[in-house]
Structures are given as structure tokens and as C-alpha cells.
Amino acid sequence: MFSVIACIRDDHDNRLVLVAAVICFIGNLATMLLFSRAQECRSHQRRHWIAAAAFASGIGIWATHFIAMLAYEGRLPISYGPSLTMFSAIIAIIGSWLAIAVAFQRDSGASFAVGGALMAFGIAAMHFISMQAIEGPAQLSYSMPRVFASIVTGAGLSSLAFLAFRCLDGVKRIYAGALLLLLAICSLHFIAMSGVMLTPESDGSAAALSIDRGILAGIVTAAAMGLILVALGAIFIDRHLTDLRGFANASLEGLLILRDGRVIDANERFFDISGWPAHQVIGMAPETFLTIDMDADAATPLETTLSGRDGKAIPVETVQRSITYRGHECSVLVVRDLTERHRAQQMIEHLAHHDILTDLPNRSLFEQRMRQALQTVNRKGGEVAILCLDLDRFKAINDVFGHAEGDRILCKVACILQRTIEEGDTVARLGGDEFAIIQPRRRQPEGARHLAERILAAFATEMDMARDPTAVGVSLGIAIYPRDCASAEQLYTNADTALYRAKRAGRGHACFFDAEMDKSVRTRRQLENDLRQAILRKQLYLEYQPIFDVGSQNVSGYEALLRWAHPERGVIEPEVFIPIAEESGSIAAIGEWVLEQACEEAARWHEPANVAVNLSPLQFMIPTLYDQIERILRKTSLDPRRLELEITEAALMRERAAVIATLQRLHRLGVRVVMDDFGTGFSSLSNLRAFPFDKIKVDRSFTGALEHDPAARSIVRAIIGLGNSLNMPVVTEGVETELQRRIVVEEGCAQLQGMFFGKPDIGPSQYFIFDKAAG
């Protein structure tokens, strides 16, 4: 170690040693910067940067070694052979390239460590080849231990330099790698030089190099620094110009640089949009391929068209800005491709007017085309037919087989209808399983009749219900303008009214609108629409009819009776609107409202009388019926034992097991269940055996015939006897006269209900209480 220090101190010009170290450090910085650039690039670009790094590293190493050799002040005059000197520079470059290529081949810690070791071997090869280039009156010899130590030390430090570059981040890896590589080069050089021995020869020739050593060192330093700075300049220029070009090419808009009305540059995005190659764009006026007035104000975005290479007109948006480009005042024309935007707008517009599932026109487009057809008729004459279609059995099939199968059926129906219509007709899906057809420019009613016949025939052929369980039928209603109405709204309403009548006629039919025949249908449909709003408009209310207990001669409870105060038709009885509610589907909301209203009012009564509420069979189709009743009882704080639910035998006709399970849960909750209208349905005895009802109610139709029909009296006697034998109290409805009351009491009836005991009223306090003495 001391001999190396002594070698540097005693045998070298320290000024040139310092110059050599500076050159080495600058060359190493250039090498590490080129390393960084190579690591950022893709594989095909990386090769160029590896070559540049090898050149900068090799020149830096060679210049460091050569200047350090010139700094060596031996006792003998020496010179250097030009061939081996130049060859040593080539060896330095090749060795650096091999080391860097190996390091980046795998781009792993092991490959970088091996690359660092190879760099040291390249430095050593360059060093000893250049030593052989020494020419002078001396014999050159080496100390092999020193040579070995120099190579091992250089390899270790060089591997650390490579690993530091790979493992560290930011500028730390640049400086750490450069410093470690500096130590590797200098340690290898000076350890090796400390083991060099020059033995004078008596017959040595004169030095071949007569240039002053300092001047030669300056020349080498200037040349090396120039080459290294060129490499650094390449990094800077590439990073800025290439990155700016890449930045421009990454833009989603096409860019055209204009000077004196001509295109002098463009980015890749413009070539992608237009399809034009660069040599056909550069030098041309932008008006050649853009429909644009360059003299107009282009500072605001302007929609125009771009002529593509294939002749296709491409919708674009342009805007112009002023920039300084390559030292000249230029304009940049930004070209934005609007193809996708226009396609998206067209798609949005299509979706706004078409059904997503079937791609048929939707209600909005249907109404628009219907009005257009009527306007044409008003101008040119003629007639327009509207056909409203509804699928038979679709809801049941959709519930049984699922929505996916329902969607498939709707698509199949759409295809059938599109095949049956003629040119100029419009078929639309209005929602759910509702379709409609506009038939203009045909002689009516023949045109609509023939179209309806074709549709029914197509359904009969392609929807065979005998073989296909998912097959559906179709019903049609037809209205014709102007014979049936004077407006588009009324035309559709009349066609829908005719459809309603077609469905009531047995489905699978086509009906034309008839003003007289459809009057009742329109009334019913109007009631449907009004009934949907009756709860919100607070038109429904409850009246309560007392239930008289024969044993105690007192009122034991009340039956809640629903009434509808229609603003135009007055009070409507439930016998009129309940069937409409069941058919339209509004019975679920109405039934829930009745339950909640009755329980809430019963909870406020002073006497703990029972309240009876009728349940529609359709309410048992609601899966959450039990939860609904339990929630209402909890909300109103009504004792469940005070609630009586009256059901008819029709409730047990569908989903019998599920209905009985629900009734059993309600029974366990404490709610009483009453069989209403007993004797008028089916399988009465089996129903009584299937579920332990708390009461049986005799239908009012039997009570009204008691006074003059012995058969009715026998039926009532049998029902009362059956109830008593099953330990089920019997309630007789419709008792209106004293004779009727006496007959049913004599037969053993437990409870009575009817006008004889009081008219239904809004509250129990108004009811007439039957006088025990008067009875």
C-alpha cells in the first residue's frame, strides 16, 4: 500500500494526475447518464445507448490511463507507439461494450456484478496493451502479485459501481456509480504502475516522440473531453428533442405546424387520423385536406371535415394557436378527431328512441312517427291505423321460467312482427309485453284487418302452445284515424280500449274500436286509472259494521268495509271497484292501506272489540304478507287477538300449501282467521279440514232467501250444524229483518251481522247496540 502511495507521490506529476482523475470522473458521469438512458429505452433503442455508453466509458478510461502515463516521471526518456496506443483505445471501448451489454442482458443484480467484473478486465487489458506501446531504452517488467492485486481490486470496485447504479435511486446512483468506477480505474492503474520496473538498456534508441509531454497531455485531455462532452450533449439533445417529439406524438389530437401557409411538421396522431404519409403532408397547404378557411378567425374551435387518404370525410374539430418553432413565428393547427364523439352521439340518440332489448322504436319514437303520419293524412288525405298488441300468458311464463327466457320471447315476438309488417309501417315496443304498430298509406279497415290476420297466423305457426310451454299468444286492438278520433292521443287510447275488449273476449283476438261497444270499457279503464291515485288523493275510507253476539246480546266486533268517494261518481261500493283493483294489480297497495287503517283505528277504540278485515286472494301472492301484517300490528300496537282476517275459499285455490303455511304463522301470532262466504266456493269441507278456522261466515245470499226458500234454510241449518260440530262459531251475514234474525238464532247461530243491527258508519260510537230486552 505504501509503495503505491510512494509511486504516486514520487514518480508522477500530480497536476496531470489530478487532470486524469477529473477526466475519469467526467467520463464516468457520462457513462452513468448513458446507462440511465439505456435503462429507460426499449430493447431496439437500448442497443444504441449501450454503444454510446461504451464509447464514452472507453474513451474516458483510455484518456485517464494515457494522461496518467504521461504524468509518470521515470528516469528514462520514453515514447509511445501509435499503433498499440490506438489499439488500446479500441480495446477499452470493446471491453466497456462487452461489460455493459452483459449487465443489461438480464438486467439483474448478478448480471450487473458480472458486467462490473468484465469492465475491470477490459480496463486491465487496455492498461497492459498500452504499457506495451512504451518505446524507450529500457526493459519493461511487472510484479505479478501487484498485477493480480490491481485486477482484483479493480474488479471489486467496478462491480460495486455497477450494483450501486442498479440498486440506488435518482441522482445518487449516478454519482455513486461514477465515484466507485473512478476508484476502480485509478486503483487498478496505480496499483499496476507500482509494480512496473524499467531496466535501462545500453543500446537503447532515441525517443520517437519529440512533442513536449505537457503539450501532448493537453491535446489528449482536450480530445477526450470533447468526445465525452459530445456524448453528454447527445444525451441532452435526445432527452429534450426526443421526449418533446414523444410528448407531441402521445397527444390525442393531430398537430400541424404551419409557416407561410405550408405544413412544415406534423405529429404521428395526424398521420393516424388522416392516413396520409408524411411526405404527402409536409410542404402542402392545410386546405388541401382540410375544409377550412385559414384567413378566418380560427382561435375558437371549429367543426369541419378532413379528407382522408381513402377519400372518406372525417369529422374533426380544429383550433389554431401561434407559437415560436425553430426560431420562427409559426402557427400550430390542432386537429381533433370527432368520429368517436359523433358515433357516441348517434348511439345515444338511437338508444333514446329505441328499445334496448329488441332494438324496436320505443314509445317516444312511436309517438313522434304517429304524429307525423297524422300530419301527412291531414295534408294529403287517407287514413292511418294504430294496432295495440299485448302478449297472452307472458307474465306467467316470465315468472315461471325467469326473466332471461322472458327476454328471449320478447325478442322472438319482435322478429315475428317485423316480418309481418310492410314497407312504411312502424312496429314499436312500448314497454313490458306491450307492442304497437303504425300502418299508414293503406286502405282501411282492410289494411289493418289483413295485417292482424297475418300476425295471428304467424303466432299460431311459431308459437305453438301445445308443444312449447313458453309459447305466448297475442291480442290486438285497432283504431283508425280520422274515423275513430281527431287526435293522436285519442287514437292510441281508442286502440288500447279495443285491445282491452279483445282480451276480455277471450284473448287471441283482434277487435276494432267501436264507440258504443267500448263505452263501458272506457269507463272501466278510467276507473282503473282513478283507482291507482285514490290512496294518494285520500278518496278511500272505511266504514264499520257491527257483529252481534247472540250469547252476550252485545256487539263483539266490527267488520271494516272499504268505500271509495269518487270526486265525480260519488261513493262507489267495493263490489264495483275491488274486481278492478284485483285485475289492475292495485289491490296490493289498497289491501295494505286497509289493514293499517283498520288496526290503527281499532287501537283507539275505548272498548276492546275485534276488527275484521277482508283479504283478497291476490294478497296471498305477496311473499311478505305475514311480515306486512306483523309490522302493522307492531306499529299500531293492536293486540293480534283483536284482528280477524276474512278470506274466501278462492284464496286456497292457488298455491294452497303456501297459503295454509301463511295462515298457520298468522294463527300462531294470535290473529283469528275467518272463512268468509262459506258454501259458495269449492271443496268447502276439505278446506275446513286443512286449516282450523276460528269462524265460518254464512254468505248473505242464503240469508236473503231464508224467508221464502226452504232450500236456503236447509243450507243455513247444515252450515250452522257443521260449524257447531267442528267447534267453529258461525256468523250469519246479511240479516236485515226480525224474521231472518229469529230463524238463524233458532238454528243455533252464534253471531249475526247485517243492516238489522245497524248501518255501517265511520266509527263504532255511532252504531246502534241491540237492546237485550227488545230481543
Side-chain angles (χ1 to χ4, degrees):
M1 180 67 183
F2 291 106
S3 61
V4 175
I5 297 173
C7 173
I8 298 172
R9 183 189 64 214
D10 300 334
D11 300 336
H12 288 77
D13 184 345
N14 291 329
R15 293 172 300 173
L16 291 179
V17 169
L18 181 60
V19 171
V22 171
I23 290 175
C24 184
F25 183 68
I26 294 174
N28 292 341
L29 281 177
T31 300
M32 293 300 158
L33 288 171
L34 289 165
F35 270 25
S36 178
R37 192 59 175 163
Q39 200 172 43
E40 294 172 356
C41 294
R42 296 189 295 269
S43 58
H44 69 278
Q45 295 175 328
R46 180 177 292 179
R47 293 194 296 270
H48 303 300
W49 291 109
I50 288 176
F55 178 80
S57 176
I59 291 298
I61 293 168
W62 178 81
T64 300
H65 169 80
F66 200 84
I67 294 172
M69 288 295 294
L70 291 174
Y72 180 68
E73 296 177 335
R75 295 174 178 80
L76 298 173
I78 58 174
S79 61
Y80 299 90
S83 299
L84 286 177
T85 300
M86 296 305 297
F87 182 64
S88 67
I90 295 172
I91 289 297
I93 295 172
I94 293 174
S96 297
W97 174 83
L98 180 63
I100 300 170
V102 168
F104 280 95
Q105 180 67 30
R106 302 267 182 192
D107 199 9
S108 63
S111 66
F112 267 75
V114 173
L118 290 176
M119 177 68 81
F121 289 121
I123 297 170
M126 180 277 304
H127 175 85
F128 291 109
I129 289 173
S130 63
M131 292 296 291
Q132 294 299 317
I134 294 176
E135 297 177 352
Q139 183 68 36
L140 189 65
S141 61
Y142 302 96
S143 170
M144 295 310 295
R146 295 292 177 90
V147 170
F148 181 76
S150 67
I151 295 174
V152 171
T153 304
L157 291 171
S158 181
S159 295
L160 287 176
F162 275 53
L163 288 172
F165 171 80
R166 188 181 185 281
C167 298
L168 298 178
D169 296 322
V171 296
K172 292 187 292 184
R173 66 176 184 168
I174 302 295
Y175 288 110
L179 286 171
L180 287 169
L181 194 56
L182 170 65
L183 291 175
I185 296 169
C186 291
S187 62
L188 192 151
H189 176 85
F190 288 111
I191 291 175
M193 287 300 295
S194 68
V196 172
M197 291 173 289
L198 292 174
T199 304
E201 295 180 348
S202 57
D203 57 347
S205 58
L209 187 63
S210 59
I211 302 175
D212 182 78
R213 187 180 64 202
I215 296 175
L216 183 60
I219 293 172
V220 172
T221 300
M225 289 295 294
L227 292 173
I228 293 171
L229 289 175
V230 167
L232 289 172
I235 297 173
F236 177 81
I237 293 172
D238 173 79
R239 183 172 293 274
H240 284 76
L241 296 186
T242 302
D243 287 356
L244 288 176
R245 167 65 66 176
F247 182 74
N249 289 334
S251 173
L252 296 178
E253 287 82 23
L255 301 176
L256 293 174
I257 307 299
L258 310 176
R259 190 172 73 201
D260 299 330
R262 299 286 174 178
V263 178
I264 62 172
D265 203 354
N267 68 343
E268 291 181 0
R269 177 58 180 159
F270 179 80
F271 300 134
D272 293 339
I273 295 173
S274 65
W276 293 105
H279 68 274
Q280 291 184 314
V281 173
I282 305 302
M284 300 296 293
E287 295 90 343
T288 306
F289 33 78
L290 273 170
T291 307
I292 187 172
D293 183 7
M294 296 303 297
D295 295 330
D297 180 19
T300 56
L302 173 68
E303 285 199 22
T304 182
T305 56
L306 169 66
S307 299
R309 189 179 184 183
D310 56 0
K312 182 179 179 182
I314 304 167
V316 295
E317 182 182 69
T318 62
V319 64
Q320 190 173 342
R321 295 287 186 270
S322 297
I323 63 169
T324 300
Y325 186 76
R326 296 177 182 174
H328 296 274
E329 290 295 323
C330 299
S331 297
V332 58
L333 188 63
V334 181
V335 180
R336 178 177 299 154
D337 186 4
L338 300 181
T339 303
E340 290 300 325
R341 181 193 294 180
H342 284 196
R343 186 178 293 118
Q345 289 174 345
Q346 292 172 356
M347 179 63 70
I348 293 171
E349 185 175 352
H350 181 83
L351 292 176
H353 294 91
H354 289 78
D355 175 54
I356 297 177
L357 178 63
T358 63
D359 202 40
L360 293 177
N362 60 10
R363 185 180 294 273
S364 173
L365 185 56
F366 170 79
E367 293 176 351
Q368 177 181 331
R369 290 187 179 179
M370 182 169 61
R371 286 184 171 83
Q372 291 172 352
L374 267 58
Q375 290 173 1
T376 302
V377 168
N378 293 334
R379 291 196 311 267
K380 300 180 180 180
E383 292 179 314
V384 175
I386 297 296
L387 291 82
C388 287
L389 300 88
D390 189 83
L391 302 183
D392 304 333
R393 299 178 64 243
F394 176 77
K395 184 179 185 304
I397 292 171
N398 198 47
D399 292 341
V400 172
F401 294 96
H403 295 292
E405 184 64 21
D407 290 346
R408 185 192 68 81
I409 293 171
L410 291 174
C411 292
K412 184 177 180 180
V413 169
C415 293
I416 294 174
L417 296 178
Q418 286 178 311
R419 288 197 302 268
T420 55
I421 63 174
E422 297 177 320
E423 183 180 357
D425 298 349
T426 297
V427 56
R429 182 189 176 204
L430 306 184
D433 60 338
E434 299 178 40
F435 294 83
I437 298 175
I438 304 172
Q439 189 189 51
R441 300 180 299 182
R442 300 286 186 277
R443 184 180 179 84
Q444 301 297 346
E446 292 82 3
R449 182 178 295 109
H450 292 158
L451 177 57
E453 290 173 353
R454 290 199 303 272
I455 293 172
L456 292 173
F459 269 78
T461 302
E462 302 189 35
M463 293 285 188
D464 189 352
M465 299 183 188
R467 292 182 297 177
D468 184 2
T470 64
V472 296
V474 64
S475 299
L476 301 94
I478 307 168
I480 300 172
Y481 178 87
R483 68 174 66 185
D484 291 332
C485 58
S487 66
E489 293 79 5
Q490 192 60 43
L491 177 62
Y492 176 77
T493 300
N494 290 348
D496 191 51
T497 301
L499 170 63
Y500 190 83
R501 185 160 56 86
K503 295 178 68 174
R504 290 180 62 84
R507 304 180 183 272
H509 292 81
C511 289
F512 281 84
F513 174 77
D514 184 284
E516 293 300 324
M517 294 178 63
D518 291 320
K519 183 177 181 180
S520 62
V521 174
R522 290 200 306 273
T523 301
R524 186 180 179 92
R525 295 300 294 271
Q526 186 62 49
L527 285 176
E528 279 187 19
N529 295 329
D530 294 343
L531 188 56
R532 291 190 180 97
Q533 307 297 326
I535 296 178
L536 294 177
R537 294 171 179 171
K538 298 182 178 179
Q539 296 172 357
L540 299 180
Y541 66 94
L542 296 180
E543 289 184 342
Y544 297 89
Q545 187 176 52
I547 301 174
F548 180 74
D549 187 78
V550 176
S552 64
Q553 296 289 300
N554 287 321
V555 173
S556 62
Y558 301 90
E559 181 180 359
L561 302 177
L562 180 62
R563 300 290 185 263
W564 180 14
H566 194 279
E568 297 175 359
R569 304 176 189 272
V571 177
I572 302 177
E573 296 295 325
E575 290 81 2
V576 176
F577 67 84
I578 289 298
I580 297 176
E582 290 179 334
E583 186 173 330
S584 63
S586 57
I587 189 63
I590 293 175
E592 183 178 3
W593 180 86
V594 170
L595 272 168
E596 185 167 348
Q597 192 75 10
C599 292
E600 186 177 325
E601 292 187 10
R604 294 197 297 263
W605 294 345
H606 297 296
E607 297 296 331
N610 295 341
V611 60
V613 179
N614 288 276
L615 287 186
S616 166
L618 294 180
Q619 287 180 263
F620 285 93
M621 298 297 103
I622 303 173
T624 59
L625 177 62
Y626 172 84
D627 299 325
Q628 181 185 106
I629 296 173
E630 192 272 338
R631 175 185 57 79
I632 291 173
L633 289 171
R634 187 173 62 252
K635 177 182 177 182
T636 59
S637 300
L638 180 69
D639 186 350
R641 291 172 295 182
R642 292 180 58 196
L643 176 63
E644 295 182 357
L645 298 178
E646 298 188 0
I647 69 169
T648 63
E649 291 174 305
L652 300 172
M653 298 300 294
R654 291 189 296 179
E655 303 291 340
R656 180 183 180 88
V659 172
I660 291 177
T662 302
L663 292 176
Q664 289 172 341
R665 293 182 66 191
L666 290 170
H667 210 266
R668 288 193 295 269
L669 184 64
V671 176
R672 302 166 65 82
V673 181
V674 180
M675 171 66 79
D676 195 13
D677 298 339
F678 184 76
T680 60
F682 303 96
S683 306
S684 300
L685 296 179
S686 64
N687 289 333
L688 293 178
R689 186 170 59 89
F691 180 79
F693 289 93
D694 295 286
K695 286 183 184 179
I696 300 174
K697 296 191 76 172
V698 179
D699 187 66
R700 65 180 64 248
S701 62
F702 297 121
T703 308
L706 282 174
E707 296 177 352
H708 59 272
D709 189 352
R713 184 165 183 172
S714 298
I715 293 173
V716 172
R717 181 186 302 116
I719 294 174
I720 295 173
L722 178 64
N724 292 334
S725 65
L726 295 175
N727 198 25
M728 293 182 187
V730 178
V731 182
T732 300
E733 293 183 302
V735 178
E736 298 182 357
T737 66
E738 170 62 21
L739 179 58
Q740 292 173 353
R741 182 196 69 79
R742 190 165 57 248
I743 291 173
V744 294
V745 169
E746 290 174 356
E747 296 295 344
C749 185
Q751 294 181 348
L752 307 176
Q753 182 180 348
M755 299 292 289
F756 180 77
F757 302 99
K759 295 181 179 180
D761 208 334
I762 58 173
S765 61
Q766 304 294 325
Y767 294 133
F768 164 80
I769 303 301
F770 185 75
D771 189 348
K772 193 173 183 178

